[in-house]
Short mmCIF file of all heavy atoms in Angstrom, two decimals:
data_model
loop_
_atom_site.label_atom_id
_atom_site.label_comp_id
_atom_site.label_asym_id
_atom_site.label_seq_id
_atom_site.Cartn_x
_atom_site.Cartn_y
_atom_site.Cartn_z
N SER A 120 -32.13 -5.98 67.99
CA SER A 120 -31.52 -4.68 68.25
C SER A 120 -32.10 -3.57 67.38
O SER A 120 -31.39 -2.66 66.93
CB SER A 120 -29.99 -4.74 68.06
OG SER A 120 -29.42 -5.68 68.93
N VAL A 121 -33.40 -3.66 67.14
CA VAL A 121 -34.11 -2.62 66.40
C VAL A 121 -34.54 -1.54 67.39
O VAL A 121 -35.22 -1.85 68.37
CB VAL A 121 -35.33 -3.19 65.66
CG1 VAL A 121 -36.15 -2.07 65.04
CG2 VAL A 121 -34.90 -4.19 64.60
N PRO A 122 -34.16 -0.28 67.17
CA PRO A 122 -34.58 0.79 68.10
C PRO A 122 -36.10 0.88 68.16
O PRO A 122 -36.77 1.04 67.13
CB PRO A 122 -33.97 2.05 67.49
CG PRO A 122 -32.86 1.57 66.60
CD PRO A 122 -33.31 0.24 66.08
N VAL A 123 -36.63 0.77 69.36
CA VAL A 123 -38.08 0.76 69.50
C VAL A 123 -38.46 1.48 70.79
O VAL A 123 -37.76 1.39 71.80
CB VAL A 123 -38.63 -0.68 69.49
CG1 VAL A 123 -38.13 -1.47 70.70
CG2 VAL A 123 -40.14 -0.70 69.43
N LEU A 124 -39.56 2.23 70.74
CA LEU A 124 -40.08 2.92 71.91
C LEU A 124 -41.31 2.18 72.42
O LEU A 124 -42.25 1.94 71.67
CB LEU A 124 -40.46 4.35 71.54
CG LEU A 124 -39.29 5.25 71.13
CD1 LEU A 124 -39.80 6.53 70.48
CD2 LEU A 124 -38.42 5.59 72.33
N ASP A 125 -41.29 1.82 73.68
CA ASP A 125 -42.37 1.05 74.30
C ASP A 125 -43.38 2.02 74.92
O ASP A 125 -43.11 2.65 75.93
CB ASP A 125 -41.77 0.13 75.37
CG ASP A 125 -42.83 -0.68 76.11
OD1 ASP A 125 -44.02 -0.56 75.78
OD2 ASP A 125 -42.45 -1.44 77.03
N GLY A 126 -44.54 2.13 74.27
CA GLY A 126 -45.61 2.94 74.84
C GLY A 126 -45.77 4.27 74.13
O GLY A 126 -45.07 4.60 73.16
N GLY A 127 -46.71 5.03 74.61
CA GLY A 127 -47.03 6.31 74.02
C GLY A 127 -48.44 6.33 73.49
O GLY A 127 -49.07 5.30 73.27
N CYS A 128 -48.95 7.53 73.28
CA CYS A 128 -50.32 7.73 72.82
C CYS A 128 -50.29 8.27 71.40
O CYS A 128 -49.60 9.26 71.12
CB CYS A 128 -51.06 8.70 73.73
SG CYS A 128 -52.76 9.03 73.24
N ILE A 129 -51.03 7.62 70.50
CA ILE A 129 -51.14 8.09 69.13
C ILE A 129 -52.46 8.85 68.96
O ILE A 129 -53.53 8.35 69.30
CB ILE A 129 -51.03 6.93 68.12
CG1 ILE A 129 -51.18 7.44 66.67
CG2 ILE A 129 -52.04 5.83 68.40
CD1 ILE A 129 -50.85 6.40 65.63
N GLY A 130 -52.36 10.07 68.48
CA GLY A 130 -53.54 10.83 68.10
C GLY A 130 -53.87 10.52 66.66
O GLY A 130 -53.04 10.72 65.77
N VAL A 131 -55.08 10.02 66.41
CA VAL A 131 -55.46 9.59 65.06
C VAL A 131 -56.33 10.66 64.43
O VAL A 131 -57.44 10.93 64.89
CB VAL A 131 -56.21 8.24 65.10
CG1 VAL A 131 -56.38 7.69 63.68
CG2 VAL A 131 -55.48 7.22 65.96
N VAL A 132 -55.82 11.28 63.36
CA VAL A 132 -56.50 12.40 62.72
C VAL A 132 -57.04 11.97 61.36
O VAL A 132 -56.75 10.90 60.86
CB VAL A 132 -55.56 13.61 62.58
CG1 VAL A 132 -55.14 14.12 63.95
CG2 VAL A 132 -54.34 13.26 61.73
N GLN A 133 -57.82 12.85 60.76
CA GLN A 133 -58.58 12.50 59.56
C GLN A 133 -57.73 12.39 58.31
O GLN A 133 -57.89 11.47 57.51
CB GLN A 133 -59.71 13.51 59.36
CG GLN A 133 -60.63 13.21 58.20
CD GLN A 133 -61.59 12.06 58.49
OE1 GLN A 133 -61.47 11.36 59.48
NE2 GLN A 133 -62.55 11.86 57.61
N GLY A 134 -56.81 13.34 58.09
CA GLY A 134 -56.04 13.35 56.86
C GLY A 134 -56.92 13.67 55.66
O GLY A 134 -58.11 13.93 55.81
N PRO A 135 -56.37 13.57 54.43
CA PRO A 135 -54.98 13.19 54.14
C PRO A 135 -53.97 14.32 54.31
O PRO A 135 -52.76 14.07 54.27
CB PRO A 135 -55.05 12.75 52.68
CG PRO A 135 -56.17 13.55 52.10
CD PRO A 135 -57.18 13.69 53.20
N ARG A 136 -54.43 15.56 54.49
CA ARG A 136 -53.47 16.64 54.67
C ARG A 136 -52.77 16.49 56.02
O ARG A 136 -53.29 15.85 56.95
CB ARG A 136 -54.16 17.99 54.60
CG ARG A 136 -55.13 18.23 55.76
CD ARG A 136 -55.48 19.71 55.89
NE ARG A 136 -56.45 19.95 56.95
CZ ARG A 136 -56.15 20.06 58.24
NH1 ARG A 136 -54.89 19.92 58.65
NH2 ARG A 136 -57.10 20.28 59.14
N LEU A 137 -51.59 17.08 56.12
CA LEU A 137 -50.91 17.13 57.41
C LEU A 137 -51.55 18.22 58.28
O LEU A 137 -52.38 19.00 57.83
CB LEU A 137 -49.42 17.38 57.22
CG LEU A 137 -48.69 16.34 56.37
CD1 LEU A 137 -47.20 16.64 56.33
CD2 LEU A 137 -48.93 14.92 56.87
#
Side-chain angles (χ1 to χ4, degrees):
S120 300
V121 173
V123 65
L124 295 167
D125 178 2
C128 179
I129 179 170
V131 190
V132 297
Q133 184 74 350
R136 67 163 177 82
L137 301 184

